[in-house]
Short mmCIF file of all heavy atoms in Angstrom, two decimals:
data_model
loop_
_atom_site.label_atom_id
_atom_site.label_comp_id
_atom_site.label_asym_id
_atom_site.label_seq_id
_atom_site.Cartn_x
_atom_site.Cartn_y
_atom_site.Cartn_z
N TRP V 921 -14.58 -9.47 -5.58
CA TRP V 921 -15.04 -9.35 -6.97
C TRP V 921 -16.50 -8.92 -6.97
O TRP V 921 -17.29 -9.34 -6.11
CB TRP V 921 -14.91 -10.68 -7.70
CG TRP V 921 -15.29 -10.60 -9.15
CD1 TRP V 921 -16.55 -10.74 -9.69
CD2 TRP V 921 -14.43 -10.33 -10.25
NE1 TRP V 921 -16.52 -10.59 -11.05
CE2 TRP V 921 -15.22 -10.33 -11.43
CE3 TRP V 921 -13.05 -10.11 -10.37
CZ2 TRP V 921 -14.68 -10.11 -12.69
CZ3 TRP V 921 -12.52 -9.88 -11.62
CH2 TRP V 921 -13.33 -9.88 -12.77
N VAL V 922 -16.86 -8.05 -7.92
CA VAL V 922 -18.26 -7.65 -8.09
C VAL V 922 -18.66 -7.84 -9.54
O VAL V 922 -17.85 -7.68 -10.46
CB VAL V 922 -18.49 -6.17 -7.67
CG1 VAL V 922 -18.38 -6.00 -6.17
CG2 VAL V 922 -17.52 -5.24 -8.40
N CYS V 923 -19.94 -8.20 -9.75
CA CYS V 923 -20.44 -8.32 -11.12
C CYS V 923 -20.51 -6.95 -11.78
O CYS V 923 -20.13 -6.78 -12.94
CB CYS V 923 -21.83 -8.95 -11.11
SG CYS V 923 -21.88 -10.62 -10.45
N HIS V 924 -21.02 -5.97 -11.04
CA HIS V 924 -21.16 -4.61 -11.57
C HIS V 924 -20.23 -3.67 -10.83
O HIS V 924 -20.12 -3.70 -9.61
CB HIS V 924 -22.60 -4.11 -11.40
CG HIS V 924 -22.79 -2.68 -11.78
ND1 HIS V 924 -22.84 -2.25 -13.09
CD2 HIS V 924 -22.88 -1.55 -11.02
CE1 HIS V 924 -22.99 -0.94 -13.12
NE2 HIS V 924 -23.02 -0.49 -11.88
N GLY V 925 -19.54 -2.83 -11.58
CA GLY V 925 -18.67 -1.84 -10.96
C GLY V 925 -17.22 -2.29 -10.91
O GLY V 925 -16.85 -3.32 -11.50
N TYR V 926 -16.42 -1.53 -10.17
CA TYR V 926 -14.99 -1.78 -10.13
C TYR V 926 -14.44 -1.62 -8.72
O TYR V 926 -14.21 -0.51 -8.25
CB TYR V 926 -14.25 -0.84 -11.09
CG TYR V 926 -14.55 -1.14 -12.53
CD1 TYR V 926 -15.52 -0.41 -13.21
CD2 TYR V 926 -13.92 -2.18 -13.19
CE1 TYR V 926 -15.83 -0.69 -14.53
CE2 TYR V 926 -14.22 -2.48 -14.51
CZ TYR V 926 -15.17 -1.74 -15.17
OH TYR V 926 -15.48 -2.04 -16.47
N VAL V 927 -14.28 -2.75 -8.04
CA VAL V 927 -13.56 -2.81 -6.77
C VAL V 927 -12.75 -4.10 -6.77
O VAL V 927 -12.97 -5.00 -7.59
CB VAL V 927 -14.51 -2.78 -5.55
CG1 VAL V 927 -15.31 -1.50 -5.49
CG2 VAL V 927 -15.44 -4.00 -5.55
N GLY V 928 -11.81 -4.22 -5.87
CA GLY V 928 -11.06 -5.45 -5.66
C GLY V 928 -10.41 -5.98 -6.92
O GLY V 928 -9.77 -5.26 -7.69
N ASN V 929 -10.60 -7.27 -7.17
CA ASN V 929 -10.00 -7.91 -8.33
C ASN V 929 -10.54 -7.36 -9.65
O ASN V 929 -9.86 -7.43 -10.68
CB ASN V 929 -10.24 -9.43 -8.28
CG ASN V 929 -9.12 -10.15 -7.56
OD1 ASN V 929 -7.98 -9.69 -7.53
ND2 ASN V 929 -9.43 -11.30 -6.97
N LYS V 930 -11.76 -6.83 -9.64
CA LYS V 930 -12.31 -6.24 -10.87
C LYS V 930 -11.44 -5.07 -11.34
O LYS V 930 -11.29 -4.83 -12.53
CB LYS V 930 -13.74 -5.78 -10.62
CG LYS V 930 -14.55 -5.46 -11.87
CD LYS V 930 -15.15 -6.72 -12.49
CE LYS V 930 -16.08 -6.38 -13.66
NZ LYS V 930 -17.37 -5.85 -13.22
N CYS V 931 -10.86 -4.34 -10.38
CA CYS V 931 -9.89 -3.28 -10.70
C CYS V 931 -8.52 -3.86 -11.01
O CYS V 931 -7.88 -3.51 -12.00
CB CYS V 931 -9.73 -2.31 -9.54
SG CYS V 931 -11.13 -1.26 -9.17
N ALA V 932 -8.06 -4.75 -10.12
CA ALA V 932 -6.67 -5.21 -10.17
C ALA V 932 -6.35 -5.96 -11.45
O ALA V 932 -5.31 -5.72 -12.07
CB ALA V 932 -6.38 -6.10 -8.95
N VAL V 933 -7.24 -6.86 -11.85
CA VAL V 933 -6.98 -7.65 -13.06
C VAL V 933 -6.87 -6.74 -14.27
O VAL V 933 -5.94 -6.85 -15.08
CB VAL V 933 -8.08 -8.71 -13.26
CG1 VAL V 933 -7.93 -9.40 -14.60
CG2 VAL V 933 -8.04 -9.74 -12.12
N PHE V 934 -7.80 -5.81 -14.39
CA PHE V 934 -7.82 -4.89 -15.52
C PHE V 934 -6.54 -4.06 -15.57
O PHE V 934 -5.88 -3.95 -16.62
CB PHE V 934 -9.05 -3.97 -15.41
CG PHE V 934 -9.26 -3.08 -16.60
CD1 PHE V 934 -10.04 -3.50 -17.66
CD2 PHE V 934 -8.70 -1.81 -16.65
CE1 PHE V 934 -10.25 -2.67 -18.76
CE2 PHE V 934 -8.90 -0.98 -17.74
CZ PHE V 934 -9.68 -1.41 -18.80
N ALA V 935 -6.18 -3.47 -14.43
CA ALA V 935 -5.01 -2.58 -14.39
C ALA V 935 -3.72 -3.34 -14.65
O ALA V 935 -2.88 -2.90 -15.45
CB ALA V 935 -4.95 -1.88 -13.04
N LEU V 936 -3.55 -4.48 -14.01
CA LEU V 936 -2.32 -5.24 -14.16
C LEU V 936 -2.17 -5.77 -15.59
O LEU V 936 -1.08 -5.74 -16.17
CB LEU V 936 -2.26 -6.38 -13.15
CG LEU V 936 -2.04 -5.94 -11.70
CD1 LEU V 936 -2.29 -7.11 -10.75
CD2 LEU V 936 -0.65 -5.38 -11.50
N GLN V 937 -3.25 -6.25 -16.16
CA GLN V 937 -3.17 -6.74 -17.54
C GLN V 937 -2.83 -5.61 -18.52
O GLN V 937 -2.08 -5.81 -19.48
CB GLN V 937 -4.47 -7.44 -17.94
CG GLN V 937 -4.65 -8.79 -17.27
CD GLN V 937 -5.98 -9.45 -17.60
OE1 GLN V 937 -6.92 -8.78 -18.03
NE2 GLN V 937 -6.07 -10.75 -17.42
N HIS V 938 -3.36 -4.43 -18.26
CA HIS V 938 -3.05 -3.29 -19.13
C HIS V 938 -1.60 -2.83 -18.96
O HIS V 938 -1.07 -2.14 -19.83
CB HIS V 938 -4.02 -2.14 -18.88
CG HIS V 938 -5.26 -2.23 -19.70
ND1 HIS V 938 -6.24 -3.17 -19.46
CD2 HIS V 938 -5.69 -1.53 -20.79
CE1 HIS V 938 -7.21 -3.04 -20.35
NE2 HIS V 938 -6.91 -2.06 -21.17
N LEU V 939 -0.98 -3.22 -17.86
CA LEU V 939 0.44 -2.94 -17.66
C LEU V 939 1.30 -4.10 -18.16
O LEU V 939 2.51 -4.12 -17.95
CB LEU V 939 0.74 -2.66 -16.19
CG LEU V 939 0.21 -1.33 -15.65
CD1 LEU V 939 0.38 -1.26 -14.13
CD2 LEU V 939 0.90 -0.15 -16.31
N GLY V 940 0.66 -5.09 -18.80
CA GLY V 940 1.39 -6.20 -19.39
C GLY V 940 1.78 -7.29 -18.42
O GLY V 940 2.73 -8.04 -18.66
N ILE V 941 1.04 -7.41 -17.32
CA ILE V 941 1.38 -8.36 -16.26
C ILE V 941 0.29 -9.43 -16.16
O ILE V 941 -0.90 -9.10 -16.06
CB ILE V 941 1.55 -7.64 -14.91
CG1 ILE V 941 2.68 -6.61 -15.01
CG2 ILE V 941 1.81 -8.63 -13.78
CD1 ILE V 941 2.70 -5.61 -13.88
N GLU V 942 0.69 -10.68 -16.18
CA GLU V 942 -0.25 -11.79 -15.98
C GLU V 942 -0.74 -11.81 -14.53
O GLU V 942 0.04 -11.61 -13.60
CB GLU V 942 0.43 -13.13 -16.30
CG GLU V 942 0.74 -13.33 -17.78
CD GLU V 942 -0.49 -13.74 -18.58
OE1 GLU V 942 -1.57 -13.86 -17.99
OE2 GLU V 942 -0.33 -13.94 -19.81
N VAL V 943 -2.03 -12.09 -14.37
CA VAL V 943 -2.59 -12.13 -13.02
C VAL V 943 -3.65 -13.22 -12.93
O VAL V 943 -4.49 -13.37 -13.81
CB VAL V 943 -3.18 -10.75 -12.62
CG1 VAL V 943 -4.16 -10.24 -13.66
CG2 VAL V 943 -3.84 -10.79 -11.25
N ASP V 944 -3.56 -14.02 -11.86
CA ASP V 944 -4.57 -15.04 -11.56
C ASP V 944 -5.38 -14.56 -10.35
O ASP V 944 -4.81 -14.39 -9.26
CB ASP V 944 -3.92 -16.38 -11.22
CG ASP V 944 -3.32 -17.06 -12.43
OD1 ASP V 944 -3.58 -16.61 -13.56
OD2 ASP V 944 -2.58 -18.06 -12.25
N PRO V 945 -6.68 -14.31 -10.50
CA PRO V 945 -7.48 -13.83 -9.38
C PRO V 945 -8.16 -14.96 -8.59
O PRO V 945 -8.67 -15.92 -9.19
CB PRO V 945 -8.53 -12.96 -10.05
CG PRO V 945 -8.73 -13.59 -11.40
CD PRO V 945 -7.41 -14.24 -11.78
N ILE V 946 -8.12 -14.86 -7.29
CA ILE V 946 -8.99 -15.65 -6.42
C ILE V 946 -9.87 -14.65 -5.69
O ILE V 946 -9.38 -13.71 -5.06
CB ILE V 946 -8.19 -16.49 -5.40
CG1 ILE V 946 -7.35 -17.56 -6.12
CG2 ILE V 946 -9.13 -17.15 -4.38
CD1 ILE V 946 -6.53 -18.43 -5.18
N ASN V 947 -11.18 -14.86 -5.75
CA ASN V 947 -12.13 -13.87 -5.24
C ASN V 947 -12.56 -14.22 -3.81
O ASN V 947 -13.23 -15.23 -3.58
CB ASN V 947 -13.35 -13.78 -6.15
CG ASN V 947 -12.95 -13.43 -7.57
OD1 ASN V 947 -12.02 -12.64 -7.78
ND2 ASN V 947 -13.65 -13.99 -8.55
N SER V 948 -12.16 -13.37 -2.87
CA SER V 948 -12.49 -13.63 -1.46
C SER V 948 -13.99 -13.48 -1.20
O SER V 948 -14.54 -14.14 -0.31
CB SER V 948 -11.70 -12.68 -0.55
OG SER V 948 -11.97 -11.32 -0.89
N VAL V 949 -14.62 -12.59 -1.93
CA VAL V 949 -16.09 -12.49 -1.94
C VAL V 949 -16.52 -12.28 -3.38
O VAL V 949 -15.76 -11.75 -4.20
CB VAL V 949 -16.63 -11.34 -1.05
CG1 VAL V 949 -16.21 -11.52 0.39
CG2 VAL V 949 -16.18 -9.98 -1.58
N HIS V 950 -17.74 -12.70 -3.70
CA HIS V 950 -18.30 -12.51 -5.05
C HIS V 950 -19.69 -11.93 -4.86
O HIS V 950 -20.62 -12.62 -4.45
CB HIS V 950 -18.37 -13.85 -5.80
CG HIS V 950 -18.60 -13.69 -7.26
ND1 HIS V 950 -18.22 -14.62 -8.18
CD2 HIS V 950 -19.18 -12.67 -7.99
CE1 HIS V 950 -18.53 -14.21 -9.40
NE2 HIS V 950 -19.12 -13.04 -9.30
N LEU V 951 -19.81 -10.62 -5.18
CA LEU V 951 -21.05 -9.90 -4.93
C LEU V 951 -21.64 -9.36 -6.22
O LEU V 951 -20.94 -9.18 -7.22
CB LEU V 951 -20.81 -8.72 -3.97
CG LEU V 951 -20.21 -9.06 -2.60
CD1 LEU V 951 -20.01 -7.78 -1.79
CD2 LEU V 951 -21.09 -10.04 -1.83
N SER V 952 -22.93 -9.07 -6.17
CA SER V 952 -23.61 -8.48 -7.34
C SER V 952 -23.07 -7.09 -7.62
O SER V 952 -22.94 -6.68 -8.78
CB SER V 952 -25.12 -8.42 -7.08
OG SER V 952 -25.39 -7.67 -5.88
N ASN V 953 -22.78 -6.36 -6.56
CA ASN V 953 -22.28 -4.98 -6.64
C ASN V 953 -21.62 -4.66 -5.30
O ASN V 953 -21.77 -5.43 -4.33
CB ASN V 953 -23.42 -4.00 -6.94
CG ASN V 953 -24.64 -4.25 -6.08
OD1 ASN V 953 -25.53 -5.03 -6.48
ND2 ASN V 953 -24.70 -3.64 -4.91
N ASN V 954 -20.93 -3.57 -5.22
CA ASN V 954 -20.26 -3.27 -3.95
C ASN V 954 -21.26 -2.79 -2.90
O ASN V 954 -22.40 -2.43 -3.21
CB ASN V 954 -19.11 -2.27 -4.16
CG ASN V 954 -19.59 -0.87 -4.43
OD1 ASN V 954 -20.18 -0.21 -3.59
ND2 ASN V 954 -19.33 -0.39 -5.66
N THR V 955 -20.81 -2.77 -1.68
CA THR V 955 -21.71 -2.54 -0.54
C THR V 955 -22.06 -1.08 -0.32
O THR V 955 -22.73 -0.75 0.66
CB THR V 955 -21.09 -3.13 0.74
OG1 THR V 955 -19.80 -2.54 0.94
CG2 THR V 955 -20.96 -4.63 0.63
N ALA V 956 -21.62 -0.19 -1.22
CA ALA V 956 -22.08 1.20 -1.14
C ALA V 956 -23.52 1.34 -1.61
O ALA V 956 -24.18 2.32 -1.31
CB ALA V 956 -21.17 2.10 -1.98
N TYR V 957 -24.01 0.33 -2.35
CA TYR V 957 -25.41 0.34 -2.78
C TYR V 957 -26.32 -0.04 -1.62
O TYR V 957 -25.87 -0.61 -0.62
CB TYR V 957 -25.60 -0.63 -3.94
CG TYR V 957 -25.02 -0.16 -5.25
CD1 TYR V 957 -23.69 -0.39 -5.57
CD2 TYR V 957 -25.81 0.52 -6.18
CE1 TYR V 957 -23.14 0.03 -6.77
CE2 TYR V 957 -25.29 0.94 -7.38
CZ TYR V 957 -23.95 0.71 -7.67
OH TYR V 957 -23.43 1.14 -8.86
N SER V 958 -27.61 0.25 -1.79
CA SER V 958 -28.56 -0.02 -0.70
C SER V 958 -28.72 -1.51 -0.45
O SER V 958 -28.98 -1.94 0.67
CB SER V 958 -29.92 0.62 -1.03
OG SER V 958 -30.38 0.17 -2.29
N THR V 959 -28.58 -2.34 -1.51
CA THR V 959 -28.65 -3.79 -1.34
C THR V 959 -27.59 -4.46 -2.21
O THR V 959 -27.12 -3.87 -3.18
CB THR V 959 -30.03 -4.35 -1.74
OG1 THR V 959 -30.26 -4.10 -3.13
CG2 THR V 959 -31.14 -3.72 -0.91
N TRP V 960 -27.26 -5.68 -1.83
CA TRP V 960 -26.35 -6.48 -2.65
C TRP V 960 -26.59 -7.95 -2.36
O TRP V 960 -27.13 -8.31 -1.31
CB TRP V 960 -24.90 -6.11 -2.39
CG TRP V 960 -24.42 -6.39 -0.99
CD1 TRP V 960 -23.85 -7.53 -0.51
CD2 TRP V 960 -24.51 -5.51 0.13
NE1 TRP V 960 -23.58 -7.43 0.83
CE2 TRP V 960 -23.97 -6.19 1.25
CE3 TRP V 960 -25.00 -4.21 0.32
CZ2 TRP V 960 -23.89 -5.61 2.51
CZ3 TRP V 960 -24.92 -3.63 1.57
CH2 TRP V 960 -24.37 -4.33 2.64
N LYS V 961 -26.21 -8.80 -3.27
CA LYS V 961 -26.33 -10.24 -3.12
C LYS V 961 -24.98 -10.88 -3.42
O LYS V 961 -24.16 -10.33 -4.15
CB LYS V 961 -27.38 -10.81 -4.07
CG LYS V 961 -28.79 -10.26 -3.88
CD LYS V 961 -29.39 -10.67 -2.54
CE LYS V 961 -30.81 -10.15 -2.42
NZ LYS V 961 -31.41 -10.54 -1.11
N GLY V 962 -24.78 -12.08 -2.90
CA GLY V 962 -23.54 -12.79 -3.16
C GLY V 962 -23.08 -13.59 -1.97
O GLY V 962 -23.85 -13.81 -1.02
N GLU V 963 -21.84 -13.99 -2.01
CA GLU V 963 -21.32 -14.84 -0.94
C GLU V 963 -19.83 -14.61 -0.74
O GLU V 963 -19.13 -14.12 -1.63
CB GLU V 963 -21.57 -16.32 -1.27
CG GLU V 963 -20.88 -16.79 -2.53
CD GLU V 963 -21.16 -18.25 -2.83
OE1 GLU V 963 -21.91 -18.87 -2.05
OE2 GLU V 963 -20.64 -18.77 -3.83
N SER V 964 -19.38 -15.01 0.44
CA SER V 964 -17.95 -14.97 0.77
C SER V 964 -17.34 -16.34 0.53
O SER V 964 -18.01 -17.37 0.70
CB SER V 964 -17.76 -14.56 2.23
OG SER V 964 -18.28 -13.28 2.48
N LEU V 965 -16.09 -16.35 0.16
CA LEU V 965 -15.37 -17.61 -0.04
C LEU V 965 -14.96 -18.15 1.32
O LEU V 965 -14.32 -17.47 2.12
CB LEU V 965 -14.13 -17.35 -0.89
CG LEU V 965 -13.40 -18.57 -1.46
CD1 LEU V 965 -14.28 -19.29 -2.47
CD2 LEU V 965 -12.09 -18.13 -2.12
N THR V 966 -15.35 -19.38 1.63
CA THR V 966 -14.99 -19.97 2.91
C THR V 966 -13.51 -20.35 2.91
O THR V 966 -12.91 -20.54 1.84
CB THR V 966 -15.82 -21.22 3.19
OG1 THR V 966 -15.49 -22.24 2.23
CG2 THR V 966 -17.31 -20.92 3.14
N PRO V 967 -12.91 -20.49 4.08
CA PRO V 967 -11.51 -20.92 4.13
C PRO V 967 -11.26 -22.24 3.40
O PRO V 967 -10.24 -22.39 2.72
CB PRO V 967 -11.23 -21.04 5.63
CG PRO V 967 -12.20 -20.11 6.27
CD PRO V 967 -13.42 -20.15 5.42
N ASN V 968 -12.18 -23.18 3.53
CA ASN V 968 -12.01 -24.47 2.86
C ASN V 968 -12.05 -24.34 1.34
O ASN V 968 -11.25 -24.97 0.63
CB ASN V 968 -13.08 -25.46 3.32
CG ASN V 968 -12.85 -25.95 4.73
OD1 ASN V 968 -11.72 -25.90 5.23
ND2 ASN V 968 -13.91 -26.42 5.38
N LYS V 969 -12.98 -23.51 0.84
CA LYS V 969 -13.06 -23.32 -0.61
C LYS V 969 -11.83 -22.58 -1.14
O LYS V 969 -11.36 -22.86 -2.25
CB LYS V 969 -14.34 -22.57 -0.97
CG LYS V 969 -15.60 -23.40 -0.81
CD LYS V 969 -16.84 -22.64 -1.24
CE LYS V 969 -18.09 -23.51 -1.11
NZ LYS V 969 -19.32 -22.76 -1.52
N LEU V 970 -11.32 -21.64 -0.35
CA LEU V 970 -10.10 -20.94 -0.73
C LEU V 970 -8.93 -21.92 -0.81
O LEU V 970 -8.16 -21.92 -1.78
CB LEU V 970 -9.79 -19.83 0.27
CG LEU V 970 -8.45 -19.10 0.13
CD1 LEU V 970 -8.30 -18.50 -1.27
CD2 LEU V 970 -8.32 -18.01 1.19
N SER V 971 -8.83 -22.79 0.18
CA SER V 971 -7.77 -23.81 0.18
C SER V 971 -7.92 -24.75 -1.01
O SER V 971 -6.92 -25.13 -1.64
CB SER V 971 -7.80 -24.61 1.48
OG SER V 971 -7.49 -23.80 2.58
N ASP V 972 -9.16 -25.11 -1.33
CA ASP V 972 -9.40 -26.01 -2.47
C ASP V 972 -8.96 -25.37 -3.79
O ASP V 972 -8.35 -26.03 -4.64
CB ASP V 972 -10.89 -26.38 -2.55
CG ASP V 972 -11.30 -27.38 -1.49
OD1 ASP V 972 -10.40 -28.00 -0.89
OD2 ASP V 972 -12.51 -27.54 -1.25
N LEU V 973 -9.29 -24.10 -3.96
CA LEU V 973 -8.89 -23.41 -5.19
C LEU V 973 -7.37 -23.38 -5.33
O LEU V 973 -6.83 -23.65 -6.40
CB LEU V 973 -9.46 -21.99 -5.19
CG LEU V 973 -10.94 -21.83 -5.52
CD1 LEU V 973 -11.38 -20.38 -5.30
CD2 LEU V 973 -11.23 -22.24 -6.96
#
Side-chain angles (χ1 to χ4, degrees):
W921 183 273
V922 289
C923 298
H924 174 76
Y926 292 98
V927 298
N929 269 333
K930 194 83 174 284
C931 291
V933 172
F934 186 90
L936 289 169
Q937 287 177 340
H938 272 71
L939 289 172
I941 299 165
E942 291 281 0
V943 53
D944 288 349
I946 295 180
N947 302 324
S948 58
V949 300
H950 194 155
L951 302 179
S952 57
N953 46 270
N954 73 67
T955 56
Y957 287 86
S958 55
T959 63
W960 64 90
K961 300 294 182 180
E963 62 181 1
S964 299
L965 192 66
T966 66
N968 287 338
K969 288 183 178 179
L970 173 56
S971 295
D972 285 345
L973 283 172

